[in-house]
Amino acid sequence: MPSGLVALLDDVAGIAKIAAASVDDIGAAAGKAGTKAVGVVVDDAAVTPGYAMGFTPDRELPIVAKIAVGSLRNKLLFLLPGALALSAFAPWAVTPILMLGGAYLAFEATEKIIEMFVPHGDEVATDELALSGPELEKQKVAGAIRTDLILSAEIMAIALADVSGMSLPIQAAALALVGVVITILVYGVVALIVKMDDIGLHMAKSPRAPTRKFGRGLVKAMPVAMSSLAYIGTAAMLWVGGGIIVHGLHHFHLTPIPAWVEGASHFAGQVPGIGAVTGWLATAIGSAIVGLIVGGVIAGVLHFIPRKKAAH
């Protein structure tokens, strides 16, 4: 019995070591994969607050919570199994799917830019006025979850590309961890953004003069911050979408566009002292230009087809 117990304890210790090593592998894989997806995370955090704005303060956090739950459902119930199936049966398809997603992001950003010059918000506003509060909330949440599905697919695909060489259980655990952590991070930031004006109002009622002053400043700054966030979200869509397309072209050895972007980054990176920053900016700008061109072509085709049909 004692020797059997010692053997059992040895087995348990061995299993514990294997489990600990697996946890380390999962954590390292998730960290590496999550870092590569940071651009899409910025995009997600910049785009989502707009869906929760315009409602009464008591509905803002419930709306963010509904979108967050939908985002988790997108990642864990739909995208995670799909990503693992791709990894197991069609790893060659990951890059083309990423490029399609990048093209979609670029198209969405280009549409936003076009709308700045050719606005059609009156029609949308009229449609929204015809809806009741709960109906409008349901519509906004559904729209946010659809947008999140595309962004989450990009996050999971980018993460998958980074862990594709590992075992299937490690891939599954790492992707699940990336999905959960990024969702908590993004929607925590979104919740903070949409409640920032309420936080400012609360601080403005403080008996302490510095707190009141800071609170009033916060309230005044929020419209500018939300407007800036919309521009940042559009820029991030172009940068991320174009960057994914450039990476895909490089993967398939389709030059010279990737070489141009890399050359511009290398040239800008030679600035003394701030080379890392200027090199990154050159890559981001080059990627955004590619995204704008691709998005413009798609937008042009999609706007041309309805007109052609209408002409007939």
Side-chain angles (χ1 to χ4, degrees):
M1 284 295 292
S3 61
L5 181 59
V6 170
L8 178 60
L9 290 174
D10 284 342
D11 290 342
V12 170
I15 292 169
K17 287 179 181 178
I18 294 171
S22 297
V23 169
D24 287 342
D25 289 343
I26 292 166
K32 186 180 178 185
T35 302
K36 292 287 184 68
V38 69
V40 189
V41 174
V42 171
D43 186 12
D44 208 352
V47 168
T48 308
Y51 289 99
M53 303 304 289
F55 292 92
T56 56
D58 63 304
R59 294 308 306 157
E60 288 174 343
L61 288 182
I63 288 171
V64 172
K66 286 180 181 179
I67 299 171
V69 170
S71 177
L72 270 178
R73 187 167 60 243
N74 284 341
K75 292 180 179 76
L76 299 182
L77 297 186
F78 304 119
L79 298 174
L80 177 58
L84 293 177
L86 277 177
S87 178
F89 302 110
W92 53 268
V94 173
T95 299
I97 289 173
L98 269 173
M99 293 179 74
L100 286 174
Y104 177 83
L105 288 178
F107 163 69
E108 284 281 290
T110 306
E111 284 279 89
K112 290 177 185 292
I113 294 171
I114 292 171
E115 191 172 341
M116 291 177 192
F117 298 97
V118 189
H120 50 80
D122 291 343
E123 297 173 11
V124 176
T126 303
D127 292 340
E128 289 185 351
L129 284 173
L131 298 173
S132 67
E135 289 173 338
L136 181 58
E137 181 177 314
K138 185 177 180 181
Q139 183 188 80
K140 290 283 188 179
V141 169
I145 291 173
R146 281 196 301 272
T147 300
D148 175 88
L149 180 64
I150 301 298
L151 295 171
S152 292
E154 292 299 295
I155 289 168
M156 298 299 270
I158 291 168
L160 176 64
D162 229 42
V163 300
S164 57
M166 300 178 179
S167 66
L168 201 61
I170 295 292
Q171 287 183 44
L175 290 178
L177 184 58
V178 166
V180 171
V181 170
I182 283 180
T183 301
I184 292 171
L185 174 64
V186 166
Y187 290 98
V189 171
V190 169
L192 183 63
I193 290 170
V194 300
K195 297 306 290 182
M196 197 65 76
D197 53 350
D198 292 332
I199 294 170
L201 285 171
H202 179 74
M203 294 176 71
K205 298 174 183 177
S206 170
R208 300 177 61 187
T211 305
R212 285 199 307 272
K213 186 176 180 181
F214 183 79
R216 286 194 292 267
L218 200 58
V219 171
K220 289 179 181 178
M222 280 313 296
V224 177
M226 290 305 299
S227 177
S228 300
L229 205 58
Y231 291 121
I232 291 169
T234 301
M237 277 182 164
L238 283 177
W239 156 46
V240 174
I244 291 169
I245 294 167
V246 170
H247 178 77
L249 292 173
H250 177 75
H251 176 80
F252 290 115
H253 306 291
L254 298 173
T255 55
I257 292 173
W260 290 345
V261 174
E262 185 179 350
S265 176
H266 179 72
F267 178 78
Q270 295 177 352
V271 178
I274 55 169
V277 175
T278 53
W280 178 86
L281 278 175
T283 301
I285 292 170
S287 298
I289 291 170
V290 172
L292 187 61
I293 293 170
V294 172
V297 170
I298 296 171
V301 170
L302 292 180
H303 285 292
F304 174 73
I305 291 173
R307 288 176 185 170
K308 192 173 180 181
K309 287 181 179 178
H312 289 294

